[in-house]
Amino acid sequence: MTVRRTAIVTGSTSGIGLAIAHALAAEGCNVVVNSFSDTPQDHAIAEAIAKEHPGEAVYIKADMSNAFECRALVERAAEKFGSVDILVNNAGIQHVAPVEEFPVEKWDAIIAINLTSAFHTIAAAVPLMKKAGGGRIVNIASAHGLIASPFKSAYVSAKHGIMGLTKTVALELARDKITCNAICPGYVLTPLVEAQIPDQMKAHGMDRETVIREVMLDRQPTKEFVTVEEIAAAVSFLCSPAAAQINGTHISVDGGWTAE
Ligand code: NAD
């Protein structure tokens, strides 16, 4: 009988998370697809993944801005599949504004979804991973976990925070065969990036093409967007046996942006 690992990917109905869910399902994992919306389309995404790949896939609704729901997501995944072997903290939102005008509710939501949710899911998953004798935790950080850009105070703060969480968790669990690492993508053309183009146009006083060329890809030396599949492949690698000694660090997938 094939023993399938169970993977939870938070925020996986779109963009990078969706590609990660597909990649881990292709590796033979049972996959938990998550978002906060609980629509028929969300469930259809999980059904499509299950149809295409060897393992099972289910959709579980959980709002990553809510501590209880973050922890319940992990518990429900374990109830469904019997274990949680891989946890990918991917859910994230963005808002672009000068710091003195940054809406407080946007700050709170970004810190909750992009940082605090990972604390809750990790706290809930670690006892299960310890019991199972190991596990993999991958946090989708950002190039903005390493360096800053103007007008992104909350996002840059949350992403720097998750880098600290990644290292701390790695040290705490190193003897438990549980690794914790981060991926730091550069610009990937997903709905999250599409949505910030109008704000960037406003903040910089530029048209769409100029924002893409001079604000986004200006700092990405390849002058190309990273693809969601390239991020997913890095996650698959961190979850493979070959990555057992990679712990408490990050893989930049940013076309060389943070090499400067
Ligand atoms: P996206 O907007 O395409 O997808 C975000 C996902 O998160 C969606 O499935 C959405 O439903 C989910 N989500 C949002 N709020 C949620 C909540 N409260 N509870 C549960 N789920 C929620 O975004 P993306 O570009 O794929 O980003 C995914 C991750 O990658 C984020 O953490 C983002 O910061 C990071 N990232 C993206 C880029 C990029 O250029 N796109 C670059 C660096 C890092």
Side-chain angles (χ1 to χ4, degrees), residues 11 13-14 16 36 62-64 90 141 155 159 186 188 190-193:
T13 55
S14 164
I16 293 170
F36 62 96
D63 183 345
M64 290 295 108
N90 168 78
Y155 189 85
K159 294 299 186 182
V188 189
T190 64
L192 178 140
V193 167

Side-chain angles (χ1 to χ4, degrees), residues 136-248:
R136 298 291 162 96
I137 300 168
V138 182
N139 297 321
I140 306 304
S142 168
H144 285 118
L146 302 167
I147 56 171
S149 291
F151 312 122
K152 295 187 176 178
S153 53
Y155 189 85
V156 170
S157 300
K159 294 299 186 182
H160 275 66
I162 204 150
M163 299 299 280
L165 179 65
T166 301
K167 291 186 230 181
T168 308
V169 170
L171 291 179
E172 288 183 24
L173 301 173
R175 300 284 288 272
D176 296 297
K177 300 202 179 308
I178 300 168
T179 67
C180 183
N181 293 290
I183 306 276
C184 294
Y187 275 105
V188 189
L189 194 56
T190 64
L192 178 140
V193 167
E194 271 296 341
Q196 64 185 279
I197 292 175
D199 292 339
Q200 289 276 26
M201 287 164 64
K202 206 167 126 198
H204 292 275
M206 294 174 175
D207 64 22
R208 178 185 164 87
E209 295 315 311
T210 313
V211 161
I212 290 175
R213 192 179 61 249
E214 292 185 13
V215 178
M216 296 180 164
L217 297 185
D218 178 55
R219 296 171 76 183
Q220 207 146 285
T222 52
K223 304 296 175 202
E224 290 172 355
F225 282 109
V226 177
T227 67
V228 293
E229 291 79 12
E230 286 162 346
I231 305 299
V235 174
S236 289
F237 171 64
L238 287 175
C239 296
S240 74
Q245 295 299 326
I246 300 177
N247 196 23

Side-chain angles (χ1 to χ4, degrees), residues 71-100:
R71 289 172 186 251
L73 169 67
V74 176
E75 285 157 21
R76 287 188 59 196
E79 275 164 27
K80 166 74 186 159
F81 291 122
S83 67
V84 173
D85 307 289
I86 296 171
L87 170 65
V88 183
N89 288 305
N90 168 78
I93 59 166
Q94 173 63 286
H95 186 78
V96 178
V99 68
E100 71 274 26

Side-chain angles (χ1 to χ4, degrees), residues 12-23:
S12 45
T13 55
S14 164
I16 293 170
L18 180 57
I20 296 169
H22 270 284

